[in-house]
Amino acid sequence: MITVNLYYKGTNGNARVFAEEMESSGIADAIRKEDGNLRYEYFQPINDPETILLIDSWVDQAAIDAHHASPMMKQIAELRDKYDLHMTVERFVSDEYKSDEKYIRK
């Protein structure tokens, strides 16, 4: 599994409005239905109202590549431009490490 954390940064609440439009327009739901998508969720840090975090997980790089080649990427880019958002990205690859399980309360 590959997880990509995208931090959308804007001004005047634009990052949140972007995420709300992604949801209300159906783009986010369409991404969630793409082959290989495992998670597509927006969050907002408590101490930073001008940032939205997108946690985006995929089964493998081929699924990400297919997503990046989809027509939805043009729609997303247009919305980012509309709200003048800037991004930083973190990428994580799952290593299936299980020894932390004893510290996790379920």
Side-chain angles (χ1 to χ4, degrees), residues 5-6 18 21-23 41 45 50 63 71 75-76 81 87 91:
N5 289 350
L6 293 109
F18 161 81
E21 188 165 341
M22 285 289 294
E23 292 291 343
E41 291 185 271
E50 298 301 339
Q75 293 174 292
I76 295 167
D81 289 345
M87 301 162 51
R91 182 180 168 101

Side-chain angles (χ1 to χ4, degrees), residues 13-33:
N14 280 347
R16 182 173 183 94
V17 176
F18 161 81
E20 289 170 352
E21 188 165 341
M22 285 289 294
E23 292 291 343
S24 67
S25 69
I27 297 171
D29 280 336
I31 293 168
R32 292 179 186 112
K33 292 175 184 169

Side-chain angles (χ1 to χ4, degrees), residues 90-101:
E90 300 170 331
R91 182 180 168 101
F92 305 94
V93 178
S94 178
D95 66 359
E96 302 301 319
Y97 190 66
K98 302 278 187 203
S99 70
D100 290 334
E101 291 288 322

Side-chain angles (χ1 to χ4, degrees), residues 5-9 86-90:
N5 289 350
L6 293 109
Y7 296 87
Y8 290 99
K9 187 87 164 165
H86 301 274
M87 301 162 51
T88 56
V89 178
E90 300 170 331

